[in-house]
Amino acid sequence: MYVVIKDLSFKYKNAKEYQIKNFGLEIEKGEIVALLGPSGSGKSTILRLISGLEVPNGGEILVNNNILYNKDKFIEPEKRGIGMVFQDYALFPHMTVEKNVLFGVGNVDKNEKQRILDEVLELVDMKEYKKRYPHELSGGQQQRIAIARALAPKPSLLLLDEPFSNLDADLRKKIRNEIKDILKKTHSTSIFVTHDIEDAKDVADRIINL
Ligand code: ADP
Ligand code: ADP
């Protein structure tokens, strides 16, 4: 299995009860899994644990045979090679599309950067927008750029937290189909969090109910 999560448990410091208890999940390479559940069911917390933004109280997390967390080991978030897309896009407002997309791409030469930029912008059909600023783009376009930015460093795993929740119903349907195409085209192993069963059905290969 490409992603293995075993017996994961977690409690926020100020909380009385555990938010995550003995959570387990296995994902094959290239699979898109949806975590479906109402607000407060722990979806965001699970993504924060996988990405390393929170430290679990117990369990194991492995991606591609690399231990990211167990009782003896904690890999820092920036070293995990995990891509993230959030509900509020979180593009840097003072940077152009080009700068936003290349932000997480490490030390590679100029030509390679251009190649990556063209490749991911082509993928999200936004090649003409390199020099634009986020405020010049629509909500759907901003979300496509957020996806391009997450894919640019070729993440081992892509985490998407309610990526459509700021979009209206029509756009939501359109964008979720686009995202599914992009994830499949890039063979991205992905965990996609949503409270919306239609989102989950349209995008995921498999749905996990929390
Ligand atoms: P969502 O359900 O969209 O994931 P929430 O509204 O649950 O987001 O949480 C928004 C922010 O508030 C998050 O950063 C989360 O960590 C924080 N938060 C949520 N619940 C609590 C809580 N009980 N105590 C402290 N912070 C919380
Ligand atoms: P979801 O993403 O499914 O809405 P969350 O993972 O945001 O759920 O929250 C799971 C539980 O953890 C909720 O009960 C929430 O109130 C609590 N929680 C979230 N963030 C914090 C925090 N920073 N501190 C304390 N409790 C939190």
Side-chain angles (χ1 to χ4, degrees):
M1 278 292 166
Y2 186 75
V3 176
V4 178
I5 299 172
K6 271 193 229 167
D7 277 333
L8 199 65
S9 63
F10 176 71
K11 185 176 102 49
Y12 285 103
K13 282 200 175 56
N14 57 352
K16 292 194 184 72
E17 299 195 346
Y18 276 79
Q19 275 71 42
I20 307 298
K21 280 175 253 169
N22 305 112
F23 178 78
L25 177 62
E26 295 198 339
I27 307 176
E28 284 178 48
K29 195 162 171 45
E31 195 180 17
I32 307 171
V33 169
L35 295 183
L36 177 69
S39 181
S41 58
K43 304 180 299 293
S44 300
T45 303
I46 290 170
L47 294 192
R48 293 174 66 80
L49 292 167
I50 296 170
S51 58
L53 297 174
E54 303 285 353
V55 184
N57 295 98
E60 281 178 51
I61 303 172
L62 288 92
V63 176
N64 198 16
N65 293 319
N66 296 310
I67 299 168
L68 302 185
Y69 170 78
N70 69 13
K71 66 183 191 333
D72 306 313
K73 199 165 176 182
F74 176 81
I75 305 293
E76 297 295 331
E78 67 276 14
K79 296 189 180 134
R80 293 190 178 197
I82 291 177
M84 289 192 275
V85 179
F86 298 103
Q87 57 186 355
D88 52 7
Y89 328 123
L91 298 175
F92 302 112
H94 61 291
M95 289 185 196
T96 59
V97 162
E98 173 170 2
K99 288 266 161 56
N100 265 287
V101 169
L102 290 174
F103 184 78
V105 174
N107 269 333
V108 295
D109 68 36
K110 253 189 162 168
N111 291 339
E112 177 62 5
K113 278 193 174 167
Q114 277 308 312
R115 197 194 59 71
I116 293 169
L117 181 68
D118 287 341
E119 183 183 88
V120 294
L121 288 183
E122 174 86 54
L123 206 54
V124 300
D125 199 15
M126 290 288 292
K127 255 189 147 169
E128 314 306 313
Y129 295 83
K130 278 182 204 173
K131 300 292 177 197
R132 300 289 188 93
Y133 284 87
H135 73 267
E136 299 175 292
L137 307 177
S138 70
Q141 289 174 329
Q142 289 184 40
Q143 195 54 302
R144 301 221 290 265
I145 297 303
I147 290 159
R149 184 177 62 179
L151 291 172
K154 295 226 179 287
S156 57
L157 175 65
L158 189 64
L159 307 178
L160 304 118
D161 193 352
E162 300 268 6
F164 319 118
S165 50
N166 287 338
L167 306 176
D168 67 42
D170 286 346
L171 191 58
R172 194 180 178 109
K173 225 175 141 56
K174 182 168 171 285
I175 294 278
R176 73 188 181 208
N177 288 319
E178 285 179 14
I179 287 189
K180 174 147 199 178
D181 285 349
I182 292 166
L183 297 180
K184 284 297 168 195
K185 237 189 242 171
T186 50
H187 310 287
S188 299
T189 311
S190 326
I191 303 177
F192 158 58
V193 152
T194 181
H195 63 273
D196 184 319
I197 180 128
E198 297 304 322
D199 279 359
K201 279 187 188 161
D202 257 15
V203 177
D205 300 318
R206 182 155 59 98
I207 299 175
I208 310 283
N209 281 290
L210 287 184

